[in-house]
């Protein structure tokens, strides 16, 4: 995917949430409490999945590399695009500059 396609496909945070939700549902959501993939219900107001057996709630980011991050999904998706778009790779400092992040540790 090139940058033009990315901008049209993911124009805002909501489009990233819908894409990730559909991908997670297709793949199957793994409950950390039950230790297996079970049926989950989606709560659109809180944007979380709830296990039908133990009622444990998990966010869209849980179980991914984005789990403990405060960055938006849109920022994460842009980072994934930048990392995969270059043949030679991308330094952390360049990624920070391109995404407009304030801190290096992010």
């Amino acid at each position: 995917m090139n940058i033009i396609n990315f901008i049209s496909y993911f124009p805002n945070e909501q489009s990233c949430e819908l894409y990730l939700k559909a991908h997670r549902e297709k793949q199957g959501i793994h409950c950390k409490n039950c230790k297996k993939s079970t049926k989950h219900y989606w709560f659109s107001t809180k944007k979380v999945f709830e296990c039908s057996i133990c009622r444990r709630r998990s966010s869209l980011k849980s179980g991914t590399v984005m789990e403990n991050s405060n960055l938006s999904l849109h920022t994460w998706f842009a980072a994934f695009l930048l990392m995969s778009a270059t043949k030679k790779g991308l330094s952390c400092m360049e990624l920070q500059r391109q995404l407009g992040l304030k801190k290096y540790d992010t």
Side-chain angles (χ1 to χ4, degrees):
M1 175 180 290
N2 61 27
I3 292 174
I4 302 298
N5 291 343
F6 175 81
I7 292 169
S8 64
Y9 201 72
F10 299 111
N12 54 23
E13 183 73 12
Q14 185 182 7
S15 61
C16 296
E17 289 170 356
L18 290 173
Y19 178 82
L20 186 59
K21 178 184 173 282
H23 182 71
R24 296 274 319 263
E25 286 175 335
K26 180 180 161 187
Q27 185 181 20
I29 299 150
H30 187 80
C31 180
K32 291 182 181 180
N33 203 22
C34 297
K35 305 285 189 220
K36 57 185 172 184
S37 293
T38 59
K39 182 177 180 184
H40 282 72
Y41 300 108
W42 173 250
F43 288 98
S44 59
T45 54
K46 297 191 184 237
K47 298 180 183 173
V48 294
F49 292 103
E50 184 177 283
C51 178
S52 62
I53 297 171
C54 68
R55 303 286 184 224
R56 178 185 167 95
R57 290 186 177 181
S58 56
S59 70
L60 279 175
K61 294 180 183 178
S62 67
T64 67
V65 295
M66 306 173 279
E67 186 168 8
N68 294 321
S69 173
N70 291 329
L71 291 176
S72 68
L73 284 175
H74 197 256
T75 303
W76 271 104
F77 280 32
F80 296 150
L81 171 73
L82 290 172
M83 287 189 296
S84 64
T86 60
K87 289 182 181 181
K88 304 243 181 193
L90 189 70
S91 72
C92 293
M93 293 300 288
E94 183 62 25
L95 188 63
Q96 177 188 356
R97 280 190 292 273
Q98 291 296 324
L99 296 176
L101 302 175
K102 304 260 187 250
K103 295 184 194 174
Y104 174 75
D105 7 330
T106 306

